[in-house]
Amino acid sequence: MAQLLRISHISYTYPGAARSVLDDVSLSFPQGWTGVVGTNGCGKTTLAQIAAGAVEPTAGSVTPMLSSAYCAQDAGVEPEGLSDFACDWASEAVRLRRALRIEDDMLWHFPELSCGEQKKIQVAVSLWRNPELLVIDEPTNHVDAACRSQLMGVLRGFGGIGLLISHDRELLDGLVDQCVSFESGSVMMRPGSYTAGRRQAAIEAEAAVRLRGKAKAELSRLEVEQRKRRDLADRSASRRSARGLDKHDSDGRARRRLAVFSGQDGKATRLASRMDGRVERAQERLGQLRVEKRYEGDLWVDATPSPRKALLHLPACELPCGSGRTLRVPELYVGNKDHLGITGPNGAGKSTFMRHVVSRLSEDQGLRFLYMEQEIGSQERDRALGMLKSLTPSERGRLLSVVAQLDSDPGRILDGTGASPGELRKVMLAHGFLRQPELILLDEPTNHLDIHSIEALERALAAFPGALVLVSHDERFLEAATSERLRIEGGVLQRSR
């Protein structure tokens, strides 16, 4: 009989936090893979850790308690049971090592391996333990297409309940049967792949916009009627009052006594009170119809391509890439409107090539360009936070407006100390965008970004009117943002066919 994991009325609040990250969440996870998607910091990892029994919820329950394995987002975390896996030569251990191209000596030198190699070993050991519940957190950060394909192949063979936290749309679409999506403070489960869920979410959003429009129109109509009835009630009350009547006006006083006796004196007031109740209920209905806010303005209102037709000329050369390897680069020109995407396996020399390009650009004092490396170090983090604090209120407002269009909450960024790596990356990108660059060079810019942020960034880069050189393993991202490909293969940079 297939297992079913239930989490019931789960809430969780971080120690010292004012608000809960999860509030009364109930979900059921069947056998197979479930994707977990949402913005940075929304609670995806916390939910998965609670499901796996690694974190105790503030309230609620998880049933039944299953044997579990948790594969952390940090590739450098050595998996539990690594030594036992390295010594196991049974058929399942051998199968996993072969499927993931794990050499025997790699298992004894885990700290020295690349991120992709470490991640493959993490996943292999987790699968080898044969848990009833397996949680995989962002497995494809820093990995190339070949590694992603190997990971997808072995994960498809898992027979238990799997939770996949990922921003990798290709991996999600190739693996999951349903998706848990964190949306505007709520948690939704939708059947099908990530792409199918996004289509359904778009349909629901359009329906919510229509319903909210109707609710606003109905509220406006009721408020107009409410004002009319209040005016009528006020006039009726004025007529019932004896104040202002001449003491000799016996007919007026008789009409007032008749209205009181017949009950007509309170009818307008009762109708006004009923209308107040209808307006209040309409206001409640409108408040319940929330529409997720998206920022889709034009980031490039004042940006224009460089007047120079060719921004960069790279003569043919060979670049050293370490361990005796070299990268052969042919003669290359970058035009003022070119959008170039660069691909290749891990360790092929993509970052080396980007640094070579930047070194040549630094000699050109007349060109405005933005360059962002693959990872944000502690010094870059401190500089970004210092820059944010040093801006004038108007400058900070413009920067945070760009951050909002890249799908992050400006209010959360303003605190600075709690900003995630993805949010800091957006601050740095926004600062660079506002300097109106003529050329943008980005090395793996989607690392640490959630799916909505990736989609917002790819829309922004696709619309950039100047030149773009982009390194990424994300094929969908490259397809959306670039028009020409360069690929490193066999130690040579060449135009992709």
Side-chain angles (χ1 to χ4, degrees), residues 275-419:
M275 182 55 66
D276 288 345
R278 291 178 65 185
V279 169
E280 187 175 330
R281 290 191 293 275
Q283 289 171 336
E284 290 176 358
R285 285 194 297 271
L286 181 61
Q288 292 168 357
L289 294 171
R290 296 180 179 178
V291 176
E292 188 172 7
K293 193 172 184 179
R294 291 288 178 196
Y295 299 88
E296 297 186 0
D298 185 0
L299 296 178
W300 315 113
V301 173
D302 299 320
T304 57
S306 169
R308 293 159 48 179
K309 295 302 180 183
L311 302 186
L312 176 67
H313 171 222
L314 290 178
C317 64
E318 287 196 1
L319 304 176
C321 296
S323 302
R325 295 178 296 109
T326 60
L327 171 63
R328 189 148 48 90
V329 179
E331 185 179 31
L332 181 67
Y333 287 88
V334 178
N336 63 346
K337 297 181 182 179
D338 289 346
H339 280 207
L340 304 178
I342 301 177
T343 63
N346 291 127
K350 300 185 297 296
S351 296
T352 299
F353 172 73
M354 290 289 275
R355 287 191 290 270
H356 173 65
V357 170
V358 172
S359 69
R360 295 297 303 264
L361 289 172
S362 299
E363 300 170 4
D364 185 348
Q365 300 298 319
L367 181 68
R368 298 189 306 273
F369 70 92
L370 166 64
Y371 170 56
M372 184 172 291
E373 295 189 77
Q374 187 171 151
E375 285 301 318
I376 298 174
S378 58
Q379 291 183 343
E380 288 81 2
R381 173 190 172 88
D382 292 342
R383 278 198 294 268
L385 294 176
M387 174 272 298
L388 187 59
K389 293 175 182 176
S390 68
L391 296 176
T392 66
S394 62
E395 291 171 336
R396 190 179 301 117
R398 288 196 298 273
L399 185 145
L400 293 176
S401 173
V402 175
V403 169
Q405 292 188 58
L406 295 177
D407 206 53
S408 268
D409 179 6
R412 192 167 61 190
I413 299 275
L414 276 174
D415 179 20
T417 55

Side-chain angles (χ1 to χ4, degrees), residues 149-164:
S149 177
Q150 293 163 15
L151 289 170
M152 188 182 298
V154 296
L155 292 175
R156 278 177 178 158
F158 177 62
I161 298 171
L163 301 184
L164 173 64

